Amino acid sequence: MEYARQIEHADIVHRCFRCGYCKFPEDYVDFNCPSYKAFGWDTFSPGGRMWLIRAWLNKELETSPHFSRILYSCVACGNCKDQCVYPRFKDYLLNVFEEAKAELVNEGRIPPEVRDYFKAVSVNGNPYKQPQEERGQWADGLGLKEFTDQEYLFYVGCVGSYDEVGQRMARSVGQLLSETGVSIGILGKEETCDGHEVKVLGETGLFTALAEENIMKFKKKGIEKIITLDPHALNVFRKDYPKLRGNFEVFHYTEILSQLIRNNQIPLSNYQAKVTYHDPCYLGRHNLILEPPREVLKGLPGIELVEMRRKGLSAFCCGGGGGNFFTDMVGSGENNPARIRIKEALDTGAEIVAVACPQCAKMLDDAIKSEGQEDWLEVLDLSELVNRVRSK
Amino acid sequence: MKNIYEALVEIMGERGVSNRPEEIWFYGRDPGVLPPHPPDYVVAPETTEQVQKVVQLANREKIPVVPMGNGMALTGLVIPLKGGIVMDMKRMNKILEVNEMARYVVVEGGTSQGMLKAHLRDHYPRLRHSLPDAPPTTTIAANVSLHGQGCLTQQYGFNSDMVSGLEVVLPTGELCKIGSPSLGPYWFSKGPSLPDLSGLFLGWLGTTGIFTKVGLKLYPNKKIREMEIFVTDKAELVPEIIYKLTHLEMLEDLIAWFQPKPLMFKDNYHLTIYFTGDSEKEIEFKRTMIWDALQEFIDNKDGGFMNVQAMKPNLMENPQRGIAAFADVPRGGGFEYSGPITLIELYPQFAAKVVELAEKYDVIYSSAARVISGGHSMMFSISFAFNRADPAMMERVKKALDEATEYALKMGGIPWKPNYMEQKMTMDHMDPNTLKLLRMIKKNLDPHGIMNPGNWEPAP
Amino acid sequence: MGSLKFDENVCATCPSADCLIKCQYMDFEEDEAHNEMMKIVKGLDSRVLHDCVTCYACEEYCRRGNHPFYLIGERREEKGIYTASRAITNQWINLTQMQGKPMVGTVKDKALSSCFIPDLGALGSGELFKEVFPAVTFGAEFMCPAVHTHFAKMSVVKERLPKVMENFKKLGVKEVICLHDECYGTYTSIAQAYGMEVPFKPVYYMDFLLTRLKELKDRIIPLNIKAAYQRPCSNRLIPHKHRLVQEIMDYIGVDMPGRKYQGENSLCCAEIIRSVAGYKLADDIQGRNIDDMLEAGAEYCVFNCPACQSSLSEKVSKKGLKPVHIIDLCKMAVGEKGREG
Ligand SMILES: Cc1cc2nc3c(=O)[nH]c(=O)nc-3n(C[C@H](O)[C@H](O)[C@H](O)COP(=O)(O)OP(=O)(O)OC[C@H]3O[C@@H](n4cnc5c(N)ncnc54)[C@H](O)[C@@H]3O)c2cc1C
Ligand code: SF4
Ligand code: SF4
């Protein structure tokens, strides 16, 4: 019998009108779907994906490397879900994309980059193919304690653990939190991948295994509250772990920082700089944490916040979501989203792009180099910026 | 055809051409009810030179070329009826120049309505353009190529009347400027006081050339925009109400609409009246004039102004997102409309026809008529929604639309953005000498018949 | 279908004809008022049937327990002297048609009625309504049909009201807390005037609020603001409840400086008047009303009815007053809402 493709939300796929509202931010200033912007074919727009998925489910189209690229170059930024004009189904657009990818995984027809990612995570517990033993090294010399009975687990994730830019950020956040008296513990070499990108890329089996293992571990250690470095981890802990009975109180570090600043718990001096803020998709659009990072910036003496043209719910993604941070299906040319974002940041006249996600940090850092703008612009995570303003 | 692909790659670069099944599948259809037909190639130019070279190649090889904006005309105008090359214009989306004092803008051939709106708001808050209620991804060039209408059409005419100069790649590949830009650097007139050559392109649905630049008139953007809705239960009063309102010479936009659902709209005809002002005083003055103009209908209990508070946020949007939402009424991602341009005095007859067709074909209707240039005519939309997963319903909608067009022609109306069959019906109705002229122009401009073939294609 | 219980003798022997004498929208000499009322009573034509703007106030002005406003509506309908255009009248009838789409929370013996007004759903939440919030009802099925009296469609009121009450009865509730002033007016005044039995105990939300405020006494921080109150037409059906506004305001530290248009002299929000009598009168009323609020020195304009709020919010804001519903004001006092509402 011929294999019939099936996805859970098949009943809404035909309802897309391909009107294209989803390509734009709320005020239409420029195309806001990063993969459409990068590739410039309607097939790479949200509506294009919907129509192609329908044709593919109906067997009007066969699986091909190009089709896989179309699906996997979606950065899951969620702009389409916010902007689609059809309230009765728009919330499920990303489910459709994710389910279609999961179906590709079932068919075993995924791009090599994606396959390598899954393999690395399942073999090594991280996509960097680095030894588990070294996972905690980012914290060396900081004096951060293993989690025992502290109030919060500080969960850093794969990027914070292994990537150079991520590690810098993890150290900075970890140090700031502990020095300001927030009771945190880390898992160090016991930490494993949260599975967020695995899930978004469609490997539901591997995701469930990772998540269940984490949930068991967290429960065993008596963890109730978690602070995440990475908004991606925040997203999966908040939205998907509860479905596997992993109910924790999950915060992003910027939420904690904004409280500390509000309560004057961080002694501050003054640091003069013009700063723009890049909303990470998994913080802003996906979890509506828009104000806390801005409260932090506004609370720093000397810092002038200058917003980019696209911000908040209309922010333009750095291009790293949907696993693209690792698989890079979007490509790095002129139309690479991070490079576009950096140009937008330069337009504000800011000298610092503040970020709140290690993946954005790395993407934008690289883009500054590709654009040759190292002398003018610098990427700093919010905690690094706070450190500059802190009274020494 | 392998060498054609290679030739296209040479012109466009790898990133600008596709003959992959996914693009071929997608660009072979639009969201309306007409059946698809696949192109052989899809190209997405970024420069005028690329457009020219592709057209030259196509002309040489006698391959069809179909320019496409966002494919939202809904009537299959971008379906490559005879295969060939679909040219997605949307990468040419720059806003090249705004002349604030002369109130015009020059945009590329794929610039979207949405981006122009955002650009003006950011940089020229005193100016605006005539936005259609089409999704903001739709393009300005396509809109004028089909004689679209927008929020300023009541005041200033069809959006194509607002063109202030064109740059066109002719079907033979030459680049041609139309109007004042053919004589100098300014884009303030598409024709007058020269012979108006823009008529060779506007309304031709991409069958006589490809716009690579469009000059478009801009208009004052007043500080305040307001609206009222007048409701009556008598279709026969609508023309007189419109007459009284347009007599004021004060309105921005005027739309008469009716639909059976939600229930609160049942059995009534609604006139959405938009007006603008720079001060509260101006607004209140205009509001008073509008109320006064319709007082007799109120006194006779024939109509009244309804409370608009709840609907206002949606109706004040520009474009109105809610209009696209009609496509999901049957939970199925589709609607299409026939929108004849006709006399306002025929409103009651057309209104009755909509209901009759909806009943006959068992489809869901809605209708909105936009008043054009102070009341000389209106675009009367006969819209039917359908469920894309229900081919039988799509077929019924198609039949209902065909019948609507036949009716419109019978009533002396002109089909707007007609599909190829409606174009044929239109040409069948046309004065033979007019048709001869049309054919002559088309033949001369496009000797090999490569431009969007199947459209405006009179039988020889 | 009930019929209006109207005692002709009460009018015939009325020494004052207050109902019409006090009318703010028509002028009468004393005798004339009495005569016009008697014409209406006898089923004759009267200028009242043509000029009444449907502000409901005569229901309050009559101190002798008759129902002049309902009678005017009845006579208008009998004679086909409608207030608004057919289109607007029918729009309201269609808009409020029961379509089998009610929303019902977990209702036991109490229901919290949001009528068919979405804004009321949000208002009836939070600490103040903590216990009853889950028991919310919303939809045309639970909407008081009093609005149709404005259009002299008394038949619609008579046809729908029993159905609405039946719908509540089917829920098995003993009490219905009415968040909409007009609902309470309907279940008490209209139902009674038409001899309809109400199968539950209607509770006026301000009574409920006051009790809750007393329970939350410790949390109240006096607001220390000056406010003008916009009394809705429906409150004329239940004048004895009007005093609650003052009591609540006193309780949460809101000063209501005296103004010309207050109490019996209150002016209508004029939204319906716009449809019924045209914009000139409506603008005039709204203008006088807002000026009066400003002259009294108010900072806030406090609403009881969401319909008044929707019609006047933008206008009062433009004049520098802050529009706020009385429930939100209470929420501000118990620290549940920011000052600006
Ligand atoms: C919800 C909705 C509301 C709408 N409201 C309106 C409205 O208010 N007013 C209105 O006018 N229309 C309206 N429309 C119809 C339509 O969407 C618009 O007219 C729109 O401008 C079409 O633009 P497009 O880019 O999608 O054109 P397409 O469908 O891509 O193209 C239309 C025609 O233009 C030709 N064309 C495209 N680009 C070029 C070019 N560069 N040079 C030459 N020819 C070209 C194509 O070949 C085709 O014949 C509406 C449609 C929808 C779905
Ligand atoms: S996803 Fe929504 S907004 Fe995007 S094309 Fe489809 S219907 Fe339109
Ligand atoms: S999630 Fe983002 S990248 Fe993916 S289709 Fe939607 S807008 Fe495009």
Side-chain angles (χ1 to χ4, degrees):
Chain A
M1 205 180 76
E2 216 197 332
Y3 177 70
R5 296 182 181 123
Q6 189 44 268
I7 63 170
E8 189 189 336
H9 288 90
D11 60 328
I12 64 157
V13 183
H14 70 280
R15 286 165 72 175
C16 165
F17 188 42
R18 71 181 251 195
C19 58
Y21 269 98
C22 50
K23 289 177 183 169
F24 276 126
E26 194 174 7
D27 65 1
Y28 318 135
V29 70
D30 196 353
F31 293 125
N32 220 31
C33 166
S35 69
Y36 176 65
K37 184 78 185 168
F39 290 93
W41 299 112
D42 278 339
T43 41
F44 285 81
S45 73
R49 288 193 175 87
M50 289 292 275
W51 278 53
L52 290 183
I53 289 171
R54 177 165 184 240
W56 176 74
L57 290 173
N58 293 342
K59 295 277 168 108
E60 284 175 59
L61 276 177
E62 278 317 312
T63 308
S64 70
H66 188 60
F67 180 73
S68 308
R69 175 171 284 271
I70 289 173
L71 290 191
Y72 279 104
S73 62
C74 160
V75 297
C77 66
N79 182 73
C80 50
K81 157 181 79 70
D82 279 5
Q83 299 306 327
C84 171
V85 288
Y86 295 96
R88 295 194 294 188
F89 65 79
K90 65 185 210 170
D91 288 343
Y92 305 107
L93 291 174
L94 268 65
N95 298 64
V96 170
F97 303 154
E98 204 171 296
E99 290 159 15
K101 284 182 271 186
E103 195 61 13
L104 278 181
V105 173
N106 287 344
E107 280 189 7
R109 305 281 301 277
I110 49 175
E113 296 90 332
V114 178
R115 179 167 314 128
D116 291 350
Y117 177 84
F118 290 150
K119 198 167 154 211
V121 174
S122 70
V123 173
N124 307 85
N126 70 73
Y128 294 89
K129 301 187 190 156
Q130 295 293 315
Q132 182 67 26
E133 288 306 307
E134 292 172 16
R135 190 161 180 126
Q137 282 180 4
W138 64 270
D140 285 355
L142 292 180
L144 295 178
K145 302 247 161 45
E146 297 271 314
F147 185 89
T148 47
D149 57 354
Q150 294 91 333
E151 185 178 1
Y152 300 99
L153 165 69
F154 177 43
Y155 180 92
V156 288
C158 298
V159 185
S161 299
Y162 293 107
D163 182 275
E164 204 185 314
V165 175
Q167 285 176 341
R168 202 183 76 200
M169 182 167 160
R171 289 175 68 82
S172 168
V173 175
Q175 197 171 8
L176 184 61
L177 290 177
S178 72
E179 285 178 11
T180 45
V182 182
S183 159
I184 55 167
I186 58 170
L187 290 176
K189 62 178 187 297
E190 275 191 79
E191 192 185 276
T192 36
C193 177
D194 53 66
H196 185 263
E197 313 314 305
V198 171
K199 176 173 179 291
V200 177
L201 291 167
E203 187 25 306
T204 43
L206 178 57
F207 166 71
T208 311
L210 288 167
E212 282 177 344
E213 194 190 317
N214 276 329
I215 292 168
M216 217 155 65
K217 193 184 308 169
F218 293 173
K219 284 187 177 166
K220 213 162 116 200
K221 288 187 176 289
I223 291 164
E224 286 173 359
K225 294 183 181 180
I226 306 174
I227 298 174
T228 72
L229 177 73
D230 195 326
H232 298 234
L234 172 99
N235 192 59
V236 78
F237 290 163
R238 277 197 183 172
K239 302 212 177 121
D240 300 300
Y241 278 35
K243 291 178 207 150
L244 300 167
R245 288 195 291 282
N247 294 298
F248 310 98
E249 229 184 305
V250 190
F251 303 89
H252 187 248
Y253 79 89
T254 55
E255 295 180 284
I256 307 293
L257 275 193
S258 73
Q259 272 175 30
L260 293 172
I261 300 258
R262 198 180 317 135
N263 301 336
N264 297 318
Q265 279 165 277
I266 308 178
L268 298 168
S269 61
N270 191 295
Y271 181 79
Q272 298 285 332
K274 240 182 177 183
V275 178
T276 190
Y277 172 66
H278 168 77
D279 290 272
C281 302
Y282 280 110
L283 204 59
R285 263 188 296 263
H286 287 280
N287 285 289
L288 300 176
I289 301 174
L290 299 161
E291 279 313 307
R294 292 183 164 79
E295 278 171 25
V296 172
L297 290 168
K298 288 177 192 158
L300 299 179
I303 296 295
E304 182 195 347
L305 172 63
V306 281
E307 295 277 10
M308 282 184 266
R309 182 64 181 75
R310 287 178 280 181
K311 63 173 174 34
L313 295 178
S314 286
F316 185 62
C317 170
C318 71
N324 273 278
F325 180 82
F326 302 103
T327 59
D328 194 20
M329 305 293 289
V330 184
S332 55
E334 277 267 311
N335 291 301
N336 167 272
R339 291 178 65 176
I340 294 173
R341 193 61 171 158
I342 283 304
K343 286 180 215 148
E344 208 170 333
L346 284 166
D347 284 346
T348 64
E351 58 233 86
I352 294 170
V353 190
V355 294
C357 164
Q359 308 198 30
C360 299
K362 167 86 169 159
M363 297 293 290
L364 295 176
D365 208 51
D366 288 351
I368 288 183
K369 289 177 192 135
S370 309
E371 290 287 313
Q373 297 290 343
E374 299 96 315
D375 293 344
W376 307 105
L377 200 61
E378 167 182 34
V379 176
L380 287 182
D381 116 81
L382 283 174
S383 72
E384 293 171 304
L385 196 61
V386 172
N387 273 327
R388 287 204 186 167
V389 193
R390 256 170 99 184
S391 314
K392 296 284 156 19
Chain B
M1 284 260 205
K2 186 148 179 271
N3 49 354
I4 301 280
Y5 178 74
E6 277 159 14
L8 287 171
V9 172
E10 205 164 294
I11 300 169
M12 305 291 307
E14 292 276 359
R15 196 178 166 266
V17 194
S18 174
N19 60 358
R20 291 171 297 245
E22 292 76 13
E23 277 79 38
I24 295 298
W25 186 90
F26 186 89
Y27 286 93
R29 60 201 70 227
D30 78 354
V33 288
L34 284 192
H37 188 285
D40 299 301
Y41 314 95
V42 187
V43 300
E46 289 178 23
T47 65
T48 299
E49 201 189 347
Q50 287 177 336
V51 177
Q52 259 183 294
K53 285 190 172 160
V54 170
V55 173
Q56 278 158 2
L57 171 78
N59 189 43
R60 199 167 57 236
E61 302 291 335
K62 303 191 176 56
I63 309 169
V65 181
V66 180
M68 177 206 173
N70 201 48
M72 270 286 135
L74 307 178
T75 43
L77 300 176
V78 294
I79 295 176
L81 300 170
K82 302 187 177 177
I85 302 168
V86 167
M87 187 180 277
D88 180 340
M89 297 297 292
K90 291 192 290 296
R91 291 188 200 172
M92 290 182 66
N93 64 6
K94 286 196 268 306
I95 293 162
L96 300 166
E97 179 198 348
V98 173
N99 186 324
E100 189 168 13
M101 289 309 288
R103 294 198 179 109
Y104 68 71
V105 61
V106 185
V107 299
E108 283 190 321
T111 303
S112 66
Q113 303 280 0
M115 281 195 213
L116 178 58
K117 174 179 163 135
H119 184 81
L120 294 175
R121 192 195 33 226
D122 284 359
H123 305 291
Y124 301 94
R126 291 188 298 173
L127 294 173
R128 64 197 294 219
H129 78 291
S130 180
L131 262 167
D133 278 312
T137 35
T138 57
T139 60
I140 291 157
N143 190 251
V144 299
S145 106
L146 53 67
H147 288 311
Q149 313 97 39
C151 60
L152 300 179
T153 284
Q154 194 286 128
Q155 292 181 76
Y156 303 107
F158 286 95
N159 288 354
S160 45
D161 294 332
M162 301 171 196
V163 168
S164 65
L166 290 169
E167 180 186 87
V168 195
V169 172
L170 300 180
T172 41
E174 293 97 336
L175 189 66
C176 193
K177 290 208 168 87
I178 304 295
S180 62
S182 69
L183 293 169
Y186 302 118
W187 286 68
F188 60 87
S189 170
K190 69 178 159 71
S193 53
L194 306 170
D196 190 350
L197 296 177
S198 70
L200 298 175
F201 308 97
L202 297 173
W204 283 80
L205 309 174
T207 60
T208 52
I210 300 175
F211 302 143
T212 44
K213 285 183 193 158
V214 177
L216 194 71
K217 293 181 191 167
L218 303 173
Y219 299 90
N221 186 25
K222 296 245 191 188
K223 294 195 184 100
I224 311 171
R225 188 160 173 260
E226 260 297 352
M227 59 163 295
E228 291 280 349
I229 300 180
F230 190 78
V231 202
T232 178
D233 56 353
K234 287 185 173 170
E236 60 271 28
L237 295 180
V238 172
E240 186 61 21
I241 294 170
I242 291 177
Y243 198 81
K244 293 235 151 68
L245 286 170
T246 47
H247 179 85
L248 295 172
E249 288 194 299
M250 271 184 190
L251 310 187
E252 178 208 68
D253 198 2
L254 179 55
I255 294 166
W257 54 274
F258 65 100
Q259 59 190 55
K261 277 183 179 163
L263 212 52
M264 76 176 284
F265 300 133
K266 191 173 159 274
D267 299 332
N268 280 338
Y269 301 88
H270 309 75
L271 290 104
T272 310
I273 304 160
Y274 293 93
F275 52 106
T276 58
D278 278 325
S279 63
E280 284 298 333
K281 205 168 153 193
E282 185 177 350
I283 287 288
E284 284 319 310
F285 173 67
K286 287 183 176 169
R287 194 194 304 276
T288 307
M289 295 296 287
I290 291 165
W291 280 85
D292 282 346
L294 303 184
Q295 189 60 45
E296 68 177 81
F297 300 100
I298 298 172
D299 292 343
N300 295 337
K301 311 281 184 217
D302 279 329
F305 287 90
M306 66 177 270
N307 183 334
V308 293
Q309 291 305 327
M311 293 169 67
K312 208 165 160 181
N314 290 336
L315 292 177
M316 292 292 277
E317 273 184 348
N318 214 202
Q320 271 180 52
R321 290 165 210 250
I323 292 187
F326 182 51
D328 200 41
V329 173
R331 292 177 192 269
F335 87 89
E336 188 173 328
Y337 62 108
S338 170
I341 311 298
T342 184
L343 296 186
I344 293 167
E345 64 198 61
L346 299 177
Y347 188 94
Q349 289 92 316
F350 274 92
K353 192 72 189 176
V354 177
V355 180
E356 180 198 316
L357 289 173
E359 274 168 15
K360 177 167 168 190
Y361 292 100
D362 185 23
V363 286
I364 301 167
Y365 73 85
S366 93
S367 168
R370 179 170 248 146
V371 173
I372 297 169
S373 48
H376 291 113
S377 60
M378 64 178 167
M379 183 285 296
F380 186 97
S381 90
I382 306 169
S383 314
F384 300 118
F386 57 83
N387 184 334
R388 201 171 296 287
D390 182 345
M393 188 190 280
M394 289 177 77
E395 188 55 31
R396 295 202 304 278
V397 164
K398 192 167 160 298
K399 286 193 177 137
L401 288 170
D402 285 348
E403 201 173 322
T405 302
E406 261 169 43
Y407 178 77
L409 282 164
K410 196 182 93 195
M411 297 292 285
I414 311 175
W416 174 52
K417 61 180 180 65
N419 67 33
Y420 68 95
M421 286 169 294
E422 294 166 329
Q423 292 164 27
K424 189 171 174 312
M425 285 185 221
T426 310
M427 289 185 283
D428 289 347
H429 266 75
M430 209 176 256
D431 174 90
N433 283 337
T434 315
L435 187 63
K436 205 166 130 193
L437 179 64
L438 189 106
R439 192 183 299 147
M440 194 177 85
I441 291 168
K442 168 74 182 165
K443 186 83 200 154
N444 273 287
L445 280 171
D446 184 11
H448 296 130
I450 61 158
M451 286 304 308
N452 204 357
N455 289 290
W456 288 138
E457 198 173 77
Chain C
M1 198 189 275
S3 60
L4 180 62
K5 309 218 167 330
F6 192 91
D7 191 339
E8 292 188 24
N9 271 328
V10 172
C11 284
T13 58
C14 177
S16 66
D18 272 345
C19 55
L20 295 182
I21 286 287
K22 289 190 175 173
C23 177
Q24 288 161 293
Y25 307 102
M26 286 178 279
D27 290 328
F28 298 96
E29 302 298 324
E30 207 157 311
D31 284 354
E32 192 197 1
H34 188 261
N35 289 344
E36 290 301 320
M37 198 59 212
M38 287 316 292
K39 281 197 220 160
I40 298 169
V41 169
K42 292 188 183 115
L44 303 172
D45 198 8
S46 154
R47 74 177 167 99
V48 174
L49 301 183
H50 301 266
D51 297 344
C52 153
V53 301
T54 77
C55 76
Y56 291 16
C58 48
E59 281 295 307
E60 176 176 24
Y61 300 148
C62 170
R63 297 280 181 225
R64 295 160 63 86
N66 246 355
H67 293 289
F69 178 62
Y70 307 149
L71 184 71
I72 293 170
E74 288 286 347
R75 295 291 189 255
R76 277 182 140 163
E77 187 168 20
E78 280 160 29
K79 295 183 190 310
I81 307 172
Y82 288 109
T83 58
S85 66
R86 297 176 305 279
I88 297 285
T89 305
N90 289 333
Q91 187 181 67
W92 275 96
I93 294 175
N94 287 331
L95 173 69
T96 56
Q97 189 88 262
M98 293 179 202
Q99 291 178 70
K101 296 180 196 162
M103 278 157 63
V104 181
T106 17
V107 174
K108 293 199 183 97
D109 51 354
K110 279 183 193 168
L112 179 66
S113 165
S114 292
C115 190
F116 192 18
I117 305 177
D119 292 351
L120 286 176
L123 285 167
S125 63
E127 192 58 35
L128 290 165
F129 295 91
K130 203 168 78 188
E131 281 152 41
V132 286
F133 176 65
V136 74
T137 58
F138 170 85
E141 279 71 8
F142 299 107
M143 179 193 168
C144 63
V147 68
H148 305 290
T149 60
H150 285 298
F151 305 108
K153 282 284 183 185
M154 306 310 278
S155 54
V156 178
V157 180
K158 287 182 280 188
E159 181 210 322
R160 290 192 187 172
L161 182 52
K163 289 185 189 154
V164 172
M165 296 196 292
E166 184 60 27
N167 289 338
F168 275 115
K169 191 176 168 188
K170 280 189 206 145
L171 295 180
V173 291
K174 296 199 180 75
E175 273 184 19
V176 175
I177 301 153
C178 304
L179 285 171
H180 188 201
D181 192 272
E182 189 148 276
C183 288
Y184 187 78
T186 304
Y187 302 132
T188 51
S189 170
I190 299 183
Q192 177 259 332
Y194 282 90
M196 294 178 194
E197 199 186 322
V198 183
F200 51 82
K201 180 181 165 218
V203 176
Y204 188 50
Y205 81 93
M206 288 203 205
D207 282 316
F208 182 89
L209 261 185
L210 198 57
T211 314
R212 281 297 288 149
L213 286 173
K214 286 177 183 164
E215 284 165 7
L216 295 170
K217 198 166 80 194
D218 296 342
R219 284 181 56 172
I220 295 176
I221 300 168
L223 291 169
N224 291 325
I225 52 170
K226 287 189 190 331
Y229 169 64
Q230 171 56 36
R231 190 175 179 213
C233 52
S234 53
N235 205 250
R236 308 285 195 165
L237 311 184
I238 45 172
H240 56 292
K241 293 291 181 192
H242 178 48
R243 63 169 172 82
L244 285 166
V245 176
Q246 187 68 54
E247 283 178 41
I248 290 174
M249 299 291 196
D250 288 346
Y251 215 78
I252 58 175
V254 176
D255 179 25
M256 289 209 297
R259 45 183 293 222
K260 182 171 174 196
Y261 300 118
Q262 65 182 24
E264 268 197 358
N265 279 333
S266 298
L267 286 174
C268 167
C269 78
E271 191 51 44
I272 292 283
I273 292 187
R274 200 174 287 278
S275 308
V276 168
Y279 79 93
K280 282 189 185 120
L281 180 61
D283 282 355
D284 169 62
I285 294 170
Q286 291 182 336
R288 278 190 285 138
N289 200 1
I290 298 171
D291 286 347
D292 183 48
M293 294 179 191
L294 291 169
E295 266 166 42
E299 308 151 68
Y300 284 77
C301 173
V302 180
F303 294 97
N304 167 349
C305 168
C308 301
Q309 189 164 1
S310 135
S311 101
L312 283 177
S313 273
E314 203 183 308
K315 295 195 167 78
V316 297
S317 300
K318 277 185 187 157
K319 296 267 184 158
L321 287 160
K322 297 182 188 115
V324 62
H325 193 278
I326 192 165
I327 296 179
D328 276 335
L329 212 53
C330 295
K331 287 183 179 176
M332 278 156 66
V334 298
E336 252 189 10
K337 239 185 137 74
R339 278 265 160 151
E340 302 304 312

